[in-house]
Amino acid sequence: MAVNSKGGWIQDRILGSGGFGQVVLWKHEDNDQYIAIKTCRVQNEMTEKHKQRWKLEVDIMKRLDHTNVIAARDVPPPLEVTENELPLLAMEYCSGGDLRKVLNLPESACGLKEYEIRNLVKDISSAIEYLHGKRIIHRDLKPENVVLTQSEDNKTVYKLIDLGYAKELDQSSVCTSFVGTLQYLAPELFASQKYTCTVDYWSFGTVVFECITGYRPFLPQVPPVTWHREVCQKSPEDICAYYDSDGVVKFSKKITSPTHLCRSMQAYFEQWLRIMLRWDPRQRGGGLGEDRKPQCFKFLDTMLDMKIVNILNVSTNQLLSYPLMEQLSMQDLQRTIEQETKIKVADQDILFASGAPPEPNQGASQCWNVPGEEDWVVFLFKKGDQNDPKIKFKSIPPRVQQIVKEPSTLLPYPEQKKAWAEAVWFCNEQVIDFKRLILSQRAAMLSLLRTNSSFLKLKAKMVNECDQLLAKLQYFKESLQFDLNTYADQRATGGIVSDDLFKKWKNVGEEMEMIKTQREQVNRVDQLATALTTKIVELQRSPFARAKQNETLEEMEKKSRELYQDLRQAGRGNREQYKDHKPMVQVVVKCVMSRDKSLSDLYTHLNKICGCKHELFKILPDIQKCCKDISEASDKLLKEQRSRQEDIWNLVRRAQIQASGDVARQDSRSSSNPGSDHASMLLSICGESTAPESIRVCEDNKEQVRRMGIMLDDVLREQDEYTSMMDWSFLPPLDNT
């Protein structure tokens, strides 16, 4: 096949074709630059009005500059056309394709994920508001005119394209031309009535409804004339219409089919859609606010900025969602949870995926995270044993129940397609639910391990302090016994005595013997803690501790998507082989059986984790009490040891006083011996049972007595020598008679 090349630009492929135009992707062979160029395929067959519309689109596109509106580019000179031809429209290339391509994916059969819807609505509403601010009505909003591209931070960006039907408002802001795609047209456009920019509100609301549910809101398979006749009867608040089993048209103010939205966000979107899908164009959009901004965009901004926390009530497998108002505290959030779940605030065990609990003194916003492709979920457990969890399995949608009960009953293709789409949604929800529960058990296990770590440290502290206490007690007993023995010995030799003191020491020794019973209590608690630790180790070895998914559920979800895709791609002539629902029913039944078995096993494992945590908190007070008792016993032991030392020091002081008195009364030669005896007596009283300071004081006292004796001997000797040298002749002779 010949390659179309012009001046270094190579034609890559055709991106799309419309009524008159065709968009071709070109790639530069040197720098891999891409550019999309819209050309007119049938300009020779176009009326002057159509040519003017073509030129208007090119002119409008060149004047626009917004992130969410496709950007016009300069046409490369080698690709430019002659002046006689209709101008080309060069545009940036968006590699993600259009929104219709995304909606046609099997996983989008019942709508897009919440994160995708939020981004889409935010981007396209910004583009519409920008166009209306430029006094431009798009008039042809539909999934085919929304394209996707990736930003530098790898985020999907949605852009509006194809302004071929766009019209600049005149001064009266009213138009009358009939344009656009019928399935997304506002009623006044369909009826060729005068219209304003609110026609874009209807089309935008219709596109958003389809992105949420997978189908258009009002009788999507009905011919235009019948559609207009039936839907015009809706009330201002109705946002969808469908045929019931009797063929009667029913309207609803709520979304009646399965979606991927959390309940809070779905309620907000339902409220917003009631504004956007009003039949009366004067009421549509809610009018203008005081700042001249349309109320529908103001409400949308508030809605998309709302912080919503998702909490999985693990015991019932129910996902709760709550909007977070400003300054909402954790206590306020917990009281709200209590009102719905009947779980008292004191019994709520709220955990993050990390296993850590929220800070009670911080706001409830800590339970919220910036929306992402993966849902941010906080897990709610009920404290205590989880012996009888009331699991709420996600119910099978009514259409799926119908084909399960009657798998051979033929259905019209639109009904069959919707039933199979809901089967895909159901299988996907089982996979999501199981993954959430796996994350919940992981959070519970991490919380248990986190608590067990502190628990083991406290237990080790208890055992260590108990060992130290018993060692102190042994030293106390040995030193006390030595003091008692030494006291008895010096009493027998006539030393200082005190019967009251002796009796007191013996009583204290008997009291301290009671400390030994602390070891029995510690051993009992230690055995319980060791047994619990063994259980926790076994839980860590469980297959659920490493599980990330259920392979059977994943396989059934994949199979359901394949069946749905085959049904859609079969074409009208080849759908006979898919009229039998048995293949899809088999997938659904196997999915349910696998879910029931897996969740039963998973909840058994969860019960064991919660049971261990409950048991841990039952043992924890015993450990804390043991630590407290050990600390008090240690303090008492130290107090008695100090008291006995004070008693010994009192005896030391008495001995010192007595020794000093004896030294003053005795002569120089005999004074040293009693002092030495008193020092010996003091040493015998103090003995080895006293502290090193006591022994040192006794030795110092003994040394002082010895030195005092030597000093007295020297004084007496010098006095004798001095006396012998004196002249005593003046004294009268002694009378010996």
Side-chain angles (χ1 to χ4, degrees):
M1 181 177 178
V3 177
N4 189 1
S5 176
K6 295 181 180 180
W9 288 91
I10 302 173
Q11 181 176 326
D12 189 89
R13 65 183 183 275
I14 296 174
L15 296 177
S17 298
F20 301 109
Q22 183 180 69
V23 181
V24 178
L25 179 64
W26 292 81
K27 175 184 176 183
H28 199 280
E29 59 184 356
D30 293 335
N31 54 22
D32 289 339
Q33 179 184 353
Y34 285 93
I35 192 167
I37 295 184
K38 186 174 183 179
T39 61
C40 183
R41 296 184 296 121
V42 290
Q43 55 181 305
N44 294 332
E45 302 174 12
M46 294 174 67
T47 64
E48 190 60 32
K49 181 179 180 181
H50 289 149
K51 291 180 180 179
Q52 290 301 319
R53 197 183 82 189
W54 180 279
K55 293 178 181 179
L56 178 62
E57 178 185 6
V58 175
D59 180 60
I60 290 176
M61 288 297 301
K62 288 182 177 180
R63 290 189 282 115
L64 299 180
D65 182 17
H66 189 272
T67 304
N68 302 115
V69 176
I70 198 76
R73 298 280 189 260
D74 292 331
V75 178
L79 304 180
E80 192 58 273
V81 294
T82 64
E83 294 182 359
N84 297 329
E85 297 179 277
L86 288 176
L88 299 178
L89 176 59
M91 300 170 289
E92 63 175 314
Y93 169 57
C94 294
S95 59
D98 61 36
L99 182 58
R100 174 59 63 199
K101 175 184 174 183
V102 177
L103 290 173
N104 284 342
L105 295 174
E107 52 266 35
S108 304
C110 285
L112 306 180
K113 305 296 183 184
E114 180 176 317
Y115 173 71
E116 297 172 321
I117 294 172
R118 290 172 68 112
N119 287 341
L120 165 72
V121 172
K122 183 176 182 179
D123 287 354
I124 301 306
S125 66
S126 179
I128 295 172
E129 192 173 6
Y130 170 77
L131 291 177
H132 290 181
K134 294 288 186 179
R135 303 184 62 77
I136 297 172
I137 311 175
H138 190 284
R139 300 194 298 176
D140 195 22
L141 285 172
K142 57 184 179 180
E144 289 80 0
N145 285 340
V146 176
V147 293
L148 293 70
T149 188
Q150 295 295 120
S151 63
E152 293 182 357
D153 58 356
N154 205 33
K155 176 185 175 183
T156 300
V157 179
Y158 298 86
K159 295 175 180 281
L160 272 182
I161 64 168
D162 198 356
L163 273 68
Y165 287 112
K167 185 176 183 67
E168 293 188 90
L169 299 178
D170 56 23
Q171 291 183 353
S172 64
S173 298
V174 174
C175 309
T176 57
S177 58
F178 177 78
V179 294
T181 307
L182 291 178
Q183 295 168 331
Y184 298 90
L185 275 183
E188 59 270 27
L189 274 177
F190 180 82
S192 297
Q193 298 172 349
K194 293 181 179 181
Y195 62 90
T196 64
C197 64
T198 61
V199 296
D200 284 346
Y201 297 166
W202 178 279
S203 300
F204 185 35
T206 302
V207 170
V208 172
F209 188 97
E210 184 174 2
C211 289
I212 293 173
T213 64
Y215 60 90
R216 293 183 296 281
F218 300 106
L219 308 177
Q221 305 299 327
V222 174
V225 176
T226 305
W227 180 91
H228 193 277
R229 184 180 65 247
E230 297 287 358
V231 178
C232 71
Q233 302 178 46
K234 84 179 201 69
S235 74
E237 301 294 308
D238 290 329
I239 61 173
C240 64
Y242 57 93
Y243 286 109
D244 65 8
S245 57
D246 297 325
V248 178
V249 175
K250 296 291 184 180
F251 294 98
S252 176
K253 299 176 177 61
K254 294 182 175 293
I255 297 172
T256 59
S257 58
T259 73
H260 296 289
L261 297 177
C262 71
R263 64 181 187 182
S264 296
M265 187 54 66
Q266 179 160 322
Y268 282 127
F269 267 113
E270 288 171 345
Q271 188 175 350
W272 178 76
L273 286 169
R274 293 182 197 123
I275 300 174
M276 302 297 282
L277 296 177
R278 288 181 176 174
W279 190 268
D280 187 347
R282 293 169 298 181
Q283 297 180 8
R284 194 181 303 142
L288 300 178
E290 295 180 358
D291 56 357
R292 307 300 297 170
K293 182 182 177 76
Q295 293 287 3
C296 59
F297 292 125
K298 293 180 67 174
F299 181 86
L300 198 58
D301 290 343
T302 302
M303 180 179 78
L304 296 178
D305 289 339
M306 181 66 67
K307 296 179 179 179
I308 297 177
V309 58
N310 294 315
I311 300 177
L312 179 66
N313 185 359
V314 178
S315 62
T316 61
N317 190 27
Q318 183 181 13
L319 187 65
L320 314 174
S321 63
Y322 302 103
L324 297 182
M325 304 303 174
E326 290 293 332
Q327 307 303 321
L328 187 73
S329 67
M330 274 305 302
Q331 290 75 17
D332 294 333
L333 177 60
Q334 288 184 277
R335 282 191 286 269
T336 303
I337 294 173
E338 179 180 352
Q339 292 176 0
E340 180 172 1
T341 65
K342 308 306 178 186
I343 301 176
K344 295 181 179 180
V345 172
D347 294 332
Q348 294 175 17
D349 188 12
I350 299 177
L351 299 176
F352 297 131
S354 63
E359 291 293 336
N361 298 324
Q362 293 185 10
S365 59
Q366 63 182 304
C367 295
W368 173 85
N369 200 6
V370 178
E373 294 184 10
E374 294 293 332
D375 292 336
W376 172 265
V377 179
V378 179
F379 304 102
L380 170 66
F381 296 87
K382 184 178 179 181
K383 293 179 181 178
D385 289 322
Q386 306 283 325
N387 293 326
D388 186 26
K390 299 177 181 178
I391 308 173
K392 288 186 178 180
F393 294 116
K394 193 151 289 180
S395 59
I396 300 177
R399 289 186 178 88
V400 182
Q401 291 183 28
Q402 180 183 352
I403 65 173
V404 170
K405 291 178 181 178
E406 302 174 359
S408 300
T409 300
L410 301 181
L411 293 175
Y413 173 72
E415 290 299 315
Q416 181 183 7
K417 177 185 172 185
K418 189 169 288 188
W420 284 34
E422 292 184 4
V424 174
W425 173 87
F426 176 77
C427 293
N428 177 254
E429 285 296 301
Q430 308 319 303
V431 173
I432 293 174
D433 282 356
F434 188 80
K435 286 182 177 179
R436 284 199 191 115
L437 287 172
I438 285 291
L439 290 176
S440 74
Q441 73 85 25
R442 190 166 299 166
M445 192 69 208
L446 289 173
S447 174
L448 175 61
L449 294 176
R450 186 189 299 267
T451 308
N452 188 51
S453 176
S454 302
F455 174 82
L456 291 177
K457 290 178 182 178
L458 188 60
K459 189 201 79 166
K461 177 185 176 184
M462 174 192 71
V463 174
N464 184 49
E465 290 184 350
C466 182
D467 291 340
Q468 292 181 14
L469 176 63
L470 294 180
K472 292 177 183 178
L473 177 62
Q474 183 63 27
Y475 171 78
F476 179 87
K477 288 169 56 180
E478 291 177 359
S479 62
L480 175 61
Q481 188 60 46
F482 183 85
D483 289 346
L484 291 174
N485 293 340
T486 305
Y487 180 87
D489 292 342
Q490 66 90 27
R491 180 178 183 179
T493 59
I496 298 175
V497 296
S498 173
D499 291 338
D500 291 340
L501 190 62
F502 183 77
K503 184 178 180 180
K504 171 187 172 184
W505 287 0
K506 290 193 67 176
N507 290 338
V508 168
E510 293 173 358
E511 289 179 12
M512 293 301 102
E513 282 293 319
M514 297 299 295
I515 293 178
K516 287 184 177 180
T517 60
Q518 191 65 48
R519 167 58 76 183
E520 298 176 3
Q521 178 67 8
V522 168
N523 287 341
R524 183 187 68 82
V525 175
D526 186 37
Q527 289 175 0
L528 293 175
T530 301
L532 178 58
T533 301
T534 302
K535 291 182 182 179
I536 294 174
V537 171
E538 291 175 354
L539 286 175
Q540 289 180 275
R541 295 172 179 170
S542 168
F544 287 106
R546 298 179 297 276
K548 295 182 179 179
Q549 60 189 25
N550 182 302
E551 292 184 358
T552 302
L553 291 178
E554 296 270 359
E555 181 184 348
M556 292 303 100
E557 193 259 348
K558 180 181 178 182
K559 182 65 176 176
S560 68
R561 284 191 278 111
E562 291 174 351
L563 288 172
Y564 177 78
Q565 187 72 349
D566 291 343
L567 174 68
R568 291 191 70 254
Q569 293 180 347
R572 293 184 180 275
N574 300 317
R575 288 176 184 160
E576 290 295 327
Q577 58 179 318
Y578 294 103
K579 286 187 176 181
D580 191 341
H581 309 294
K582 289 180 181 178
M584 184 63 82
V585 169
Q586 290 174 355
V587 169
V588 172
V589 171
K590 190 172 182 179
C591 181
V592 170
M593 294 176 63
S594 177
R595 175 200 67 181
D596 293 351
K597 175 65 169 61
S598 298
L599 291 191
S600 176
D601 294 342
L602 180 56
Y603 270 96
T604 299
H605 179 67
L606 268 170
N607 285 340
K608 291 179 180 179
I609 295 176
C610 294
C612 282
K613 191 172 182 180
H614 179 64
E615 189 176 344
L616 187 149
F617 279 110
K618 285 177 63 178
I619 299 174
L620 189 59
D622 292 339
I623 294 182
Q624 292 171 334
K625 184 178 184 303
C626 283
C627 289
K628 181 181 178 182
D629 292 344
I630 290 171
S631 178
E632 291 176 352
S634 181
D635 291 343
K636 185 175 182 181
L637 195 62
L638 180 60
K639 179 181 177 182
E640 295 299 339
Q641 181 77 2
R642 287 176 176 173
S643 176
R644 198 172 83 253
Q645 286 182 334
E646 289 176 359
D647 293 340
I648 293 173
W649 274 105
N650 288 333
L651 291 177
V652 169
R653 281 191 287 272
R654 287 173 58 187
Q656 285 179 318
I657 293 171
Q658 185 174 343
S660 299
D662 290 344
V663 169
R665 289 192 298 270
Q666 294 180 6
D667 58 40
S668 60
R669 294 188 181 278
S670 62
S671 63
S672 61
N673 293 330
S676 299
D677 292 339
H678 284 300
S680 300
M681 178 191 70
L682 290 174
L683 186 59
S684 68
I685 292 174
C686 298
E688 297 178 5
S689 64
T690 59
E693 289 82 2
S694 302
I695 298 173
R696 180 176 55 78
V697 170
C698 291
E699 292 294 332
D700 290 345
N701 185 63
K702 180 179 177 181
E703 180 65 15
Q704 288 177 2
V705 172
R706 187 183 66 80
R707 290 179 180 179
M708 185 178 293
I710 294 173
M711 181 183 67
L712 288 174
D713 288 340
D714 291 340
V715 170
L716 290 174
R717 186 177 64 255
E718 290 176 1
Q719 186 175 356
D720 288 342
E721 292 176 356
Y722 178 74
T723 301
S724 63
M725 293 174 62
M726 290 182 65
D727 183 10
W728 301 99
S729 60
F730 65 90
L731 292 175
L734 292 174
D735 186 3
N736 294 327
T737 59

